[in-house]
Amino acid sequence: MKIQRTPILLFTIAALLGGVTYLTVQNAAQQAAAPAAQKLFPFQESDVQALTIQTPLQRTAFVKVPSAAKTSPAPTTWQMTEPEKAAASDGSIAFLLNLLGMGTSEKTLTIPVNRLAEFGFDPPQATIEITLANQQKHRLVLGTPDFNRSFLYAQIDPPANSTQAQTIHLVSLDFENAVNRPIEEWKQQAADKPQPPQLPSP
């Protein structure tokens, strides 16, 4: 008896199409179940009024003030208040503000409070205190990088002296460069200062 090849071929094609459909549906379901990256804080860069950055080596503080330069395109500017009084570097402040205002948490972990040191929080790499224009305050505590230096462990507005399990966020490694700067990089350099308008030559 001769077996007809057409039904076998159709059956094989149907099985392959069914397998592809199953894998596609499974992949879509996994992507839908994966949590989307969440914004670190509910404020915008422009909402920030003051910043304090504490690292093991130094403490720096900044406040937003009205611009003294009448020709300045920005109505406000940043001033360093600690460890000395000086005009702050626009680039350094803008870089940190962008991370705070636009940064996301890629993943979260829940750990017992007695394991905080394993993630670099005892002591932390840096603590950023943020004051908004409406006087609300937020805090970002930075730990060590993860095992492959893709992200940085961080705590967002952690409770003080809590004995409960803690939530750890994985945030951009750029925060490490944003806060670990020598004092001179936080100060406005001569090239950054607004230049007076040039008068036309007679």
Side-chain angles (χ1 to χ4, degrees), residues 155-188:
Q155 289 182 287
I156 299 172
D157 291 330
N161 304 318
S162 175
T163 59
Q164 303 297 316
Q166 301 287 301
T167 299
I168 305 301
H169 299 261
L170 270 67
V171 303
S172 171
L173 203 62
D174 287 338
F175 273 106
E176 194 170 51
N177 297 325
V179 298
N180 291 317
R181 298 178 181 274
I183 292 297
E184 289 305 310
E185 288 189 15
W186 285 116
K187 294 195 292 187
Q188 188 180 70

mmCIF file of all heavy atoms in Angstrom, residues 155-188:
data_model
loop_
_atom_site.group_PDB
_atom_site.id
_atom_site.type_symbol
_atom_site.label_atom_id
_atom_site.label_comp_id
_atom_site.label_asym_id
_atom_site.label_seq_id
_atom_site.Cartn_x
_atom_site.Cartn_y
_atom_site.Cartn_z
ATOM 1 N N GLN A 155 18.915 52.308 48.087
ATOM 2 C CA GLN A 155 17.698 52.380 48.880
ATOM 3 C C GLN A 155 17.041 53.730 48.614
ATOM 4 O O GLN A 155 17.717 54.766 48.603
ATOM 5 C CB GLN A 155 18.002 52.254 50.374
ATOM 6 C CG GLN A 155 18.434 50.855 50.803
ATOM 7 C CD GLN A 155 18.663 50.794 52.299
ATOM 8 O OE1 GLN A 155 19.645 51.322 52.797
ATOM 9 N NE2 GLN A 155 17.749 50.154 53.010
ATOM 10 N N ILE A 156 15.732 53.711 48.413
ATOM 11 C CA ILE A 156 14.977 54.929 48.142
ATOM 12 C C ILE A 156 14.114 55.245 49.357
ATOM 13 O O ILE A 156 13.257 54.447 49.738
ATOM 14 C CB ILE A 156 14.109 54.764 46.886
ATOM 15 C CG1 ILE A 156 14.992 54.491 45.665
ATOM 16 C CG2 ILE A 156 13.245 55.993 46.660
ATOM 17 C CD1 ILE A 156 14.237 54.128 44.424
ATOM 18 N N ASP A 157 14.373 56.399 49.966
ATOM 19 C CA ASP A 157 13.639 56.825 51.164
ATOM 20 C C ASP A 157 13.535 55.692 52.194
ATOM 21 O O ASP A 157 12.432 55.315 52.614
ATOM 22 C CB ASP A 157 12.232 57.325 50.793
ATOM 23 C CG ASP A 157 12.270 58.633 50.019
ATOM 24 O OD1 ASP A 157 13.201 59.429 50.240
ATOM 25 O OD2 ASP A 157 11.372 58.860 49.181
ATOM 26 N N PRO A 158 14.684 55.130 52.603
ATOM 27 C CA PRO A 158 14.624 54.014 53.557
ATOM 28 C C PRO A 158 14.132 54.476 54.928
ATOM 29 O O PRO A 158 14.425 55.602 55.348
ATOM 30 C CB PRO A 158 16.077 53.541 53.627
ATOM 31 C CG PRO A 158 16.882 54.759 53.301
ATOM 32 C CD PRO A 158 16.067 55.510 52.285
ATOM 33 N N PRO A 159 13.380 53.642 55.636
ATOM 34 C CA PRO A 159 12.935 54.012 56.990
ATOM 35 C C PRO A 159 14.121 54.041 57.949
ATOM 36 O O PRO A 159 15.064 53.260 57.815
ATOM 37 C CB PRO A 159 11.949 52.898 57.354
ATOM 38 C CG PRO A 159 12.362 51.740 56.497
ATOM 39 C CD PRO A 159 12.894 52.322 55.230
ATOM 40 N N ALA A 160 14.078 54.944 58.905
ATOM 41 C CA ALA A 160 15.182 55.078 59.872
ATOM 42 C C ALA A 160 15.058 54.017 60.961
ATOM 43 O O ALA A 160 13.970 53.786 61.497
ATOM 44 C CB ALA A 160 15.166 56.474 60.488
ATOM 45 N N ASN A 161 16.178 53.370 61.258
ATOM 46 C CA ASN A 161 16.261 52.407 62.370
ATOM 47 C C ASN A 161 15.189 51.324 62.313
ATOM 48 O O ASN A 161 14.643 50.913 63.335
ATOM 49 C CB ASN A 161 16.168 53.143 63.724
ATOM 50 C CG ASN A 161 17.230 54.210 63.864
ATOM 51 O OD1 ASN A 161 18.382 53.987 63.485
ATOM 52 N ND2 ASN A 161 16.856 55.359 64.393
ATOM 53 N N SER A 162 14.883 50.872 61.106
ATOM 54 C CA SER A 162 13.866 49.825 60.969
ATOM 55 C C SER A 162 14.484 48.449 61.152
ATOM 56 O O SER A 162 15.625 48.197 60.753
ATOM 57 C CB SER A 162 13.208 49.911 59.590
ATOM 58 O OG SER A 162 12.317 48.856 59.391
ATOM 59 N N THR A 163 13.738 47.545 61.758
ATOM 60 C CA THR A 163 14.189 46.157 61.908
ATOM 61 C C THR A 163 13.493 45.248 60.889
ATOM 62 O O THR A 163 13.713 44.037 60.892
ATOM 63 C CB THR A 163 13.878 45.651 63.331
ATOM 64 O OG1 THR A 163 12.467 45.750 63.567
ATOM 65 C CG2 THR A 163 14.634 46.462 64.368
ATOM 66 N N GLN A 164 12.653 45.834 60.038
ATOM 67 C CA GLN A 164 11.928 45.058 59.037
ATOM 68 C C GLN A 164 12.815 44.804 57.818
ATOM 69 O O GLN A 164 13.865 45.421 57.636
ATOM 70 C CB GLN A 164 10.669 45.823 58.601
ATOM 71 C CG GLN A 164 9.721 46.180 59.733
ATOM 72 C CD GLN A 164 9.164 44.949 60.414
ATOM 73 O OE1 GLN A 164 8.771 43.998 59.755
ATOM 74 N NE2 GLN A 164 9.141 44.959 61.749
ATOM 75 N N ALA A 165 12.387 43.876 56.969
ATOM 76 C CA ALA A 165 13.096 43.601 55.722
ATOM 77 C C ALA A 165 13.147 44.871 54.870
ATOM 78 O O ALA A 165 12.211 45.667 54.876
ATOM 79 C CB ALA A 165 12.394 42.481 54.968
ATOM 80 N N GLN A 166 14.237 45.038 54.153
ATOM 81 C CA GLN A 166 14.460 46.261 53.382
ATOM 82 C C GLN A 166 14.343 45.998 51.880
ATOM 83 O O GLN A 166 14.732 44.934 51.391
ATOM 84 C CB GLN A 166 15.857 46.811 53.677
ATOM 85 C CG GLN A 166 16.104 47.138 55.141
ATOM 86 C CD GLN A 166 15.379 48.385 55.573
ATOM 87 O OE1 GLN A 166 15.598 49.453 55.024
ATOM 88 N NE2 GLN A 166 14.490 48.246 56.554
ATOM 89 N N THR A 167 13.838 46.999 51.154
ATOM 90 C CA THR A 167 13.750 46.915 49.694
ATOM 91 C C THR A 167 14.992 47.556 49.084
ATOM 92 O O THR A 167 15.329 48.700 49.392
ATOM 93 C CB THR A 167 12.495 47.637 49.171
ATOM 94 O OG1 THR A 167 11.342 47.009 49.732
ATOM 95 C CG2 THR A 167 12.408 47.554 47.656
ATOM 96 N N ILE A 168 15.674 46.803 48.236
ATOM 97 C CA ILE A 168 16.881 47.273 47.553
ATOM 98 C C ILE A 168 16.564 47.414 46.073
ATOM 99 O O ILE A 168 15.976 46.522 45.468
ATOM 100 C CB ILE A 168 18.053 46.276 47.744
ATOM 101 C CG1 ILE A 168 18.302 46.000 49.222
ATOM 102 C CG2 ILE A 168 19.320 46.812 47.070
ATOM 103 C CD1 ILE A 168 18.640 47.210 50.030
ATOM 104 N N HIS A 169 16.961 48.541 45.481
ATOM 105 C CA HIS A 169 16.723 48.807 44.066
ATOM 106 C C HIS A 169 18.024 48.703 43.292
ATOM 107 O O HIS A 169 19.098 49.028 43.810
ATOM 108 C CB HIS A 169 16.145 50.209 43.873
ATOM 109 C CG HIS A 169 14.827 50.405 44.560
ATOM 110 N ND1 HIS A 169 13.621 50.318 43.903
ATOM 111 C CD2 HIS A 169 14.516 50.676 45.858
ATOM 112 C CE1 HIS A 169 12.636 50.530 44.740
ATOM 113 N NE2 HIS A 169 13.148 50.756 45.941
ATOM 114 N N LEU A 170 17.944 48.267 42.047
ATOM 115 C CA LEU A 170 19.087 48.288 41.144
ATOM 116 C C LEU A 170 18.951 49.520 40.260
ATOM 117 O O LEU A 170 17.995 49.633 39.480
ATOM 118 C CB LEU A 170 19.135 47.018 40.293
ATOM 119 C CG LEU A 170 19.931 45.845 40.883
ATOM 120 C CD1 LEU A 170 19.238 45.322 42.133
ATOM 121 C CD2 LEU A 170 20.096 44.723 39.877
ATOM 122 N N VAL A 171 19.901 50.451 40.389
ATOM 123 C CA VAL A 171 19.840 51.724 39.669
ATOM 124 C C VAL A 171 21.077 51.878 38.792
ATOM 125 O O VAL A 171 22.015 51.080 38.861
ATOM 126 C CB VAL A 171 19.727 52.916 40.647
ATOM 127 C CG1 VAL A 171 18.502 52.753 41.535
ATOM 128 C CG2 VAL A 171 20.986 53.066 41.500
ATOM 129 N N SER A 172 21.072 52.919 37.988
ATOM 130 C CA SER A 172 22.161 53.147 37.036
ATOM 131 C C SER A 172 23.506 53.291 37.735
ATOM 132 O O SER A 172 23.632 53.975 38.757
ATOM 133 C CB SER A 172 21.876 54.407 36.216
ATOM 134 O OG SER A 172 23.001 54.759 35.429
ATOM 135 N N LEU A 173 24.528 52.680 37.139
ATOM 136 C CA LEU A 173 25.889 52.799 37.648
ATOM 137 C C LEU A 173 26.416 54.226 37.516
ATOM 138 O O LEU A 173 27.404 54.604 38.147
ATOM 139 C CB LEU A 173 26.797 51.829 36.892
ATOM 140 C CG LEU A 173 28.094 51.377 37.558
ATOM 141 C CD1 LEU A 173 27.809 50.622 38.852
ATOM 142 C CD2 LEU A 173 28.901 50.497 36.612
ATOM 143 N N ASP A 174 25.737 55.055 36.708
ATOM 144 C CA ASP A 174 26.154 56.450 36.530
ATOM 145 C C ASP A 174 26.104 57.238 37.841
ATOM 146 O O ASP A 174 26.792 58.255 37.983
ATOM 147 C CB ASP A 174 25.269 57.153 35.498
ATOM 148 C CG ASP A 174 25.568 56.694 34.080
ATOM 149 O OD1 ASP A 174 26.681 56.187 33.836
ATOM 150 O OD2 ASP A 174 24.688 56.834 33.209
ATOM 151 N N PHE A 175 25.272 56.793 38.791
ATOM 152 C CA PHE A 175 25.220 57.480 40.080
ATOM 153 C C PHE A 175 26.589 57.484 40.762
ATOM 154 O O PHE A 175 26.924 58.423 41.483
ATOM 155 C CB PHE A 175 24.196 56.824 41.002
ATOM 156 C CG PHE A 175 22.799 57.336 40.832
ATOM 157 C CD1 PHE A 175 21.840 56.572 40.191
ATOM 158 C CD2 PHE A 175 22.437 58.594 41.296
ATOM 159 C CE1 PHE A 175 20.539 57.038 40.024
ATOM 160 C CE2 PHE A 175 21.139 59.079 41.138
ATOM 161 C CZ PHE A 175 20.192 58.296 40.493
ATOM 162 N N GLU A 176 27.373 56.437 40.542
ATOM 163 C CA GLU A 176 28.692 56.354 41.155
ATOM 164 C C GLU A 176 29.575 57.508 40.693
ATOM 165 O O GLU A 176 30.266 58.153 41.490
ATOM 166 C CB GLU A 176 29.335 55.003 40.806
ATOM 167 C CG GLU A 176 30.549 54.649 41.632
ATOM 168 C CD GLU A 176 30.978 53.216 41.396
ATOM 169 O OE1 GLU A 176 31.136 52.813 40.220
ATOM 170 O OE2 GLU A 176 31.160 52.480 42.383
ATOM 171 N N ASN A 177 29.560 57.784 39.391
ATOM 172 C CA ASN A 177 30.351 58.899 38.853
ATOM 173 C C ASN A 177 29.746 60.249 39.221
ATOM 174 O O ASN A 177 30.462 61.242 39.361
ATOM 175 C CB ASN A 177 30.446 58.787 37.323
ATOM 176 C CG ASN A 177 31.167 57.535 36.880
ATOM 177 O OD1 ASN A 177 32.101 57.084 37.533
ATOM 178 N ND2 ASN A 177 30.719 56.946 35.789
ATOM 179 N N ALA A 178 28.432 60.280 39.383
ATOM 180 C CA ALA A 178 27.755 61.549 39.650
ATOM 181 C C ALA A 178 28.067 62.096 41.037
ATOM 182 O O ALA A 178 28.075 63.314 41.235
ATOM 183 C CB ALA A 178 26.242 61.385 39.491
ATOM 184 N N VAL A 179 28.311 61.225 42.020
ATOM 185 C CA VAL A 179 28.507 61.699 43.396
ATOM 186 C C VAL A 179 29.958 61.676 43.851
ATOM 187 O O VAL A 179 30.342 62.440 44.742
ATOM 188 C CB VAL A 179 27.650 60.890 44.394
ATOM 189 C CG1 VAL A 179 26.174 61.065 44.086
ATOM 190 C CG2 VAL A 179 28.029 59.419 44.392
ATOM 191 N N ASN A 180 30.773 60.817 43.254
ATOM 192 C CA ASN A 180 32.171 60.714 43.685
ATOM 193 C C ASN A 180 33.053 61.657 42.878
ATOM 194 O O ASN A 180 33.740 61.261 41.938
ATOM 195 C CB ASN A 180 32.666 59.265 43.553
ATOM 196 C CG ASN A 180 32.004 58.351 44.551
ATOM 197 O OD1 ASN A 180 31.857 58.706 45.717
ATOM 198 N ND2 ASN A 180 31.572 57.184 44.111
ATOM 199 N N ARG A 181 32.998 62.925 43.248
ATOM 200 C CA ARG A 181 33.775 63.962 42.568
ATOM 201 C C ARG A 181 34.610 64.723 43.576
ATOM 202 O O ARG A 181 34.170 64.950 44.708
ATOM 203 C CB ARG A 181 32.850 64.976 41.872
ATOM 204 C CG ARG A 181 31.969 64.435 40.788
ATOM 205 C CD ARG A 181 31.072 65.541 40.240
ATOM 206 N NE ARG A 181 30.189 65.066 39.195
ATOM 207 C CZ ARG A 181 30.514 64.999 37.903
ATOM 208 N NH1 ARG A 181 31.726 65.379 37.516
ATOM 209 N NH2 ARG A 181 29.654 64.566 37.008
ATOM 210 N N PRO A 182 35.804 65.159 43.171
ATOM 211 C CA PRO A 182 36.545 66.083 44.041
ATOM 212 C C PRO A 182 35.825 67.426 44.113
ATOM 213 O O PRO A 182 35.025 67.761 43.228
ATOM 214 C CB PRO A 182 37.908 66.211 43.345
ATOM 215 C CG PRO A 182 37.668 65.817 41.929
ATOM 216 C CD PRO A 182 36.542 64.818 41.943
ATOM 217 N N ILE A 183 36.099 68.190 45.144
ATOM 218 C CA ILE A 183 35.430 69.473 45.354
ATOM 219 C C ILE A 183 35.556 70.375 44.131
ATOM 220 O O ILE A 183 34.599 71.066 43.748
ATOM 221 C CB ILE A 183 35.996 70.185 46.604
ATOM 222 C CG1 ILE A 183 35.611 69.415 47.869
ATOM 223 C CG2 ILE A 183 35.479 71.616 46.693
ATOM 224 C CD1 ILE A 183 34.120 69.349 48.124
ATOM 225 N N GLU A 184 36.720 70.391 43.505
ATOM 226 C CA GLU A 184 36.933 71.290 42.369
ATOM 227 C C GLU A 184 35.962 71.014 41.224
ATOM 228 O O GLU A 184 35.585 71.925 40.494
ATOM 229 C CB GLU A 184 38.379 71.179 41.863
ATOM 230 C CG GLU A 184 39.409 71.785 42.800
ATOM 231 C CD GLU A 184 39.087 73.243 43.134
ATOM 232 O OE1 GLU A 184 38.836 74.020 42.191
ATOM 233 O OE2 GLU A 184 39.081 73.595 44.323
ATOM 234 N N GLU A 185 35.559 69.742 41.053
ATOM 235 C CA GLU A 185 34.624 69.420 39.968
ATOM 236 C C GLU A 185 33.199 69.859 40.286
ATOM 237 O O GLU A 185 32.360 69.941 39.390
ATOM 238 C CB GLU A 185 34.657 67.916 39.666
ATOM 239 C CG GLU A 185 35.920 67.472 38.960
ATOM 240 C CD GLU A 185 35.816 66.033 38.488
ATOM 241 O OE1 GLU A 185 34.695 65.474 38.447
ATOM 242 O OE2 GLU A 185 36.866 65.462 38.166
ATOM 243 N N TRP A 186 32.930 70.115 41.562
ATOM 244 C CA TRP A 186 31.604 70.617 41.943
ATOM 245 C C TRP A 186 31.514 72.129 41.787
ATOM 246 O O TRP A 186 30.423 72.688 41.771
ATOM 247 C CB TRP A 186 31.281 70.244 43.391
ATOM 248 C CG TRP A 186 30.916 68.815 43.603
ATOM 249 C CD1 TRP A 186 31.601 67.892 44.339
ATOM 250 C CD2 TRP A 186 29.754 68.133 43.106
ATOM 251 N NE1 TRP A 186 30.950 66.683 44.322
ATOM 252 C CE2 TRP A 186 29.811 66.803 43.573
ATOM 253 C CE3 TRP A 186 28.680 68.519 42.302
ATOM 254 C CZ2 TRP A 186 28.834 65.863 43.269
ATOM 255 C CZ3 TRP A 186 27.711 67.577 41.997
ATOM 256 C CH2 TRP A 186 27.785 66.275 42.477
ATOM 257 N N LYS A 187 32.658 72.794 41.674
ATOM 258 C CA LYS A 187 32.661 74.258 41.577
ATOM 259 C C LYS A 187 32.682 74.711 40.121
ATOM 260 O O LYS A 187 33.268 74.056 39.261
ATOM 261 C CB LYS A 187 33.868 74.834 42.331
ATOM 262 C CG LYS A 187 33.793 74.589 43.832
ATOM 263 C CD LYS A 187 34.774 75.446 44.600
ATOM 264 C CE LYS A 187 36.209 75.060 44.325
ATOM 265 N NZ LYS A 187 37.146 75.785 45.214
ATOM 266 N N GLN A 188 32.075 75.856 39.895
ATOM 267 C CA GLN A 188 32.041 76.409 38.546
ATOM 268 C C GLN A 188 33.445 76.842 38.132
ATOM 269 O O GLN A 188 34.148 77.534 38.868
ATOM 270 C CB GLN A 188 31.083 77.604 38.500
ATOM 271 C CG GLN A 188 30.824 78.132 37.106
ATOM 272 C CD GLN A 188 29.874 79.311 37.134
ATOM 273 O OE1 GLN A 188 30.222 80.382 37.597
ATOM 274 N NE2 GLN A 188 28.657 79.113 36.646
#
